[in-house]
Amino acid sequence: MIDLYFAPTPNGHKITLFLEEAGVEYRLIRVDISKGEQFRPDFLIISPNNKIPAIVDHHPADGGSPVSVFESGAILLYLAEKTGQLLSRHLRERTLAIQWLFWQVGGFGPMLGQNHHFNHFAPQPVPYAIERYQVETQRLYQVLNKRLERVPWLAGDEYSIADIAAWPWVRSHQRQRIDLENFPAVFNWFERIRTRPATVRAMQNAQPV
């Protein structure tokens, strides 16, 4: 059993996407970040960076005591290793998946997050920041589109944790002022993931109770 500490953000959705795709039993524990529940002492033991998502694996592979993991990229790698799913064991495709996973957690997610913040939540408009993050968002979508013009999935021929990591961020493309018609390969990829049964289940489970 996996306990998933969750809020319905792009990083939270990554983990429900994986768990549903891999058929892993999990318990969804909602963390209300609007009320500051991510700062509770019991949660900080699991996620010292006071961010969701985080997991507790009650049946780790070594048979020992429960293992907690924080940071969405680390969680995806941990779960892929645990289950043997969604991360190729072949050197080249595995290396590609990990590269694109790191691309997402190091650039695509943070830059789109800043875009979202300065366009929707900054207490006053900051034109320089809005322009800077919009330009970078466009550049990153171009990188993603060029990759997906060459291959069906980010790591090559197989759906992987790299796709799972990137998809929830593209889901918010309209709030990033991105028109997917300008990125046809991304649009095709996005729709193929959106209609996967596991994706449908994951997004349904994320709805408020």
Side-chain angles (χ1 to χ4, degrees):
M1 170 67 77
I2 300 288
D3 285 345
L4 169 59
Y5 291 81
F6 171 88
T9 68
N11 287 332
H13 292 314
K14 293 177 190 177
I15 312 308
T16 54
L17 285 171
F18 182 98
L19 293 168
E20 290 292 340
E21 195 74 43
V24 175
E25 185 179 5
Y26 67 99
R27 179 170 65 132
L28 201 67
I29 302 172
R30 294 177 183 271
V31 178
D32 191 336
I33 57 179
S34 69
K35 295 180 179 178
E37 291 181 356
Q38 69 273 31
F39 297 103
R40 293 187 325 229
D42 58 332
F43 181 67
L44 290 173
I45 293 171
I46 299 165
S47 181
N49 196 33
N50 58 263
K51 303 286 186 182
I52 64 90
I55 65 167
V56 176
D57 180 2
H58 292 279
H59 301 286
D62 64 3
S65 60
V67 171
S68 62
V69 188
F70 70 102
E71 292 296 321
S72 61
I75 295 169
L76 287 174
L77 280 171
Y78 177 86
L79 292 172
E81 295 284 0
K82 175 183 174 68
T83 63
Q85 297 188 58
L86 297 159
L87 181 60
S88 176
R89 297 191 181 279
H90 298 290
L91 173 66
R92 296 178 190 277
E93 191 159 330
R94 179 186 180 85
T95 300
L96 282 166
I98 292 172
Q99 285 181 82
W100 284 100
L101 172 65
F102 278 42
W103 173 82
Q104 187 282 310
V105 299
F108 195 60
M111 294 300 102
L112 273 53
Q114 293 295 328
N115 176 313
H116 190 267
H117 173 80
F118 283 105
N119 273 297
H120 300 286
F121 294 110
Q124 62 275 330
V126 184
Y128 171 78
I130 292 171
E131 176 69 13
R132 170 181 169 80
Y133 290 113
Q134 193 65 45
V135 169
E136 182 63 3
T137 295
Q138 293 277 349
R139 187 191 72 81
L140 289 164
Y141 269 88
Q142 288 284 7
V143 171
L144 184 59
N145 198 71
K146 287 179 181 177
R147 175 61 180 165
L148 293 168
E149 286 175 342
R150 298 176 54 203
V151 290
W153 306 107
L154 286 173
D157 293 329
E158 300 293 334
Y159 186 57
S160 77
I161 56 174
D163 305 288
I164 285 173
W167 186 84
W169 287 96
V170 177
R171 183 171 175 265
S172 301
H173 62 274
Q174 292 177 328
R175 289 181 66 79
Q176 302 153 13
R177 298 190 298 167
I178 291 292
D179 185 351
L180 287 188
E181 289 187 2
N182 296 325
F183 305 96
V186 176
F187 177 78
N188 177 278
W189 166 90
F190 177 79
E191 286 297 307
R192 283 186 284 122
I193 297 175
R194 184 183 66 81
T195 55
R196 292 174 76 92
T199 303
V200 174
R201 291 193 303 271
M203 302 314 296
Q204 288 174 341
N205 288 347
Q207 295 299 314
V209 292

